[in-house]
Amino acid sequence: MAGQTEMIITGILQSIDDGALNPGDLIEDSTLIARYGVSRTPVREALIQLEAEGLLIRAPRKGAVIFKPTLEQFLSILEVHAKLEGQAAGLAARRLSAKHASALEAATVACEAHAKQHGDNAPDAYYQLNLDFHRVVAEAAGNTFLLDMIKSNARKLMAYYRARYHYRGVIAASAVEHRQITTLILARDSGNAEKAMEQHVSFDHVTAMDLLAALS
C-alpha cells in the first residue's frame, strides 16, 4: 500500500514539474485509480499527504485541485522561497565540492548556450535547464532538509516561473544572472551569492499580478 501511495505522489509531482498539472487543475480520484490500477485507499492517502504539503486542496465529493494562490499568498510564498534559495546559494559557496562545482558550471553553460542559440524561443525547454541550475545549487548546499523545503515551495510557484520565461528578454537576463551567481559561488563569496540568488528568484508586485492574471 505504501508503495502504491508513493507511486501516485511521485506521478502527481512529476506532472506539476512538467507543467502537465497547473494551478487550479482538477485531480479526480477515478482518474488516478484508472491510471495507476489501484484502489481508492492509496489514492486518498496520496492526496492527504499532498494536501498536508500545501500542494493541493481537497473538497468533499469534488476531488482535489492543484493549489492556486491569491496575490497575497503568492507574495508570501515567494518571500519565503527567495530566502530559502538565497540560503542555499550561500551555503553552496561555503561547502562547494569539486563535483558540485563541475555540475554547477555545466548547468550554467547549458543555460547560456540555450539563451544564445534560441533567444526568446523555446521557453519551456529553457525552464527545464533553469530547474537543473537551481537543483545543483540546492544540492551543493549540503542540507537535505533545506533541499526538501525548496522543492516543496518551488512547486507552489512553478507554473508562474515557467510562464515568466515566455516574456521577452527574460531568458537572456536569467542566463546572465545564473553566471553571476555561479561566479560568486565558485569564488566562495557566501554573502553576495545569497543576495544575488534572492534577487534572482524574486518578482516585483506588478509582475506577480501579471503572472497570476495570465494563469487565471
Side-chain angles (χ1 to χ4, degrees):
M1 185 71 68
Q4 292 179 336
T5 299
E6 188 61 33
M7 174 179 64
I8 296 165
I9 291 173
T10 299
I12 293 173
L13 293 179
Q14 189 62 54
S15 293
I16 294 173
D17 293 350
D18 293 343
L21 283 175
N22 287 295
D25 284 355
L26 177 66
I27 302 177
E28 296 181 323
D29 291 11
S30 58
T31 301
L32 295 176
I33 290 170
R35 179 178 301 166
Y36 295 104
V38 297
S39 67
R40 190 173 298 277
T41 300
V43 168
R44 186 183 303 114
E45 179 60 30
L47 297 181
I48 288 173
Q49 291 187 35
L50 291 172
E51 182 181 33
E53 292 184 30
L55 293 173
L56 55 80
I57 299 172
R58 295 187 305 146
R61 297 179 296 278
K62 293 183 180 180
V65 295
I66 300 298
F67 172 69
K68 185 175 184 178
T70 63
L71 176 60
E72 182 179 1
Q73 290 172 327
F74 181 96
L75 294 174
S76 295
I77 296 168
L78 180 62
E79 185 176 40
V80 173
H81 187 63
K83 290 295 184 182
L84 293 173
E85 290 266 13
Q87 185 177 19
L91 289 174
R94 290 167 48 191
R95 302 172 178 176
L96 191 66
S97 67
K99 174 183 176 181
H100 284 124
S102 178
L104 180 59
E105 178 63 23
T108 304
V109 168
C111 291
E112 291 174 325
H114 186 284
K116 182 178 180 180
Q117 181 178 355
H118 299 286
D120 291 323
N121 297 319
D124 291 338
Y126 179 83
Y127 182 66
Q128 294 304 313
L129 298 175
N130 172 75
L131 287 180
D132 191 52
F133 170 83
H134 285 273
R135 175 189 59 79
V136 172
V137 173
E139 290 178 353
N143 186 314
T144 55
F145 292 100
L146 179 60
L147 178 61
D148 287 343
M149 286 190 291
I150 288 174
K151 286 181 178 179
S152 180
N153 272 277
R155 287 190 172 107
K156 296 171 187 175
L157 302 172
M158 196 164 280
Y160 304 98
Y161 277 113
R162 183 182 292 108
R164 178 66 173 140
Y165 288 110
H166 288 256
Y167 288 39
R168 185 180 300 276
V170 173
I171 290 175
S174 172
V176 169
E177 290 171 6
H178 285 178
R179 172 53 64 188
Q180 292 169 343
I181 293 166
T182 295
T183 298
L184 291 168
I185 292 175
L186 293 176
R188 300 191 178 275
D189 188 343
S190 178
N192 284 318
E194 182 170 345
K195 292 177 184 176
M197 181 63 91
E198 281 190 35
Q199 185 175 4
H200 171 65
V201 301
S202 296
F203 294 137
D204 58 58
H205 190 276
V206 173
T207 300
M209 292 180 66
D210 287 345
L211 292 173
L212 287 170
L215 292 176
S216 63

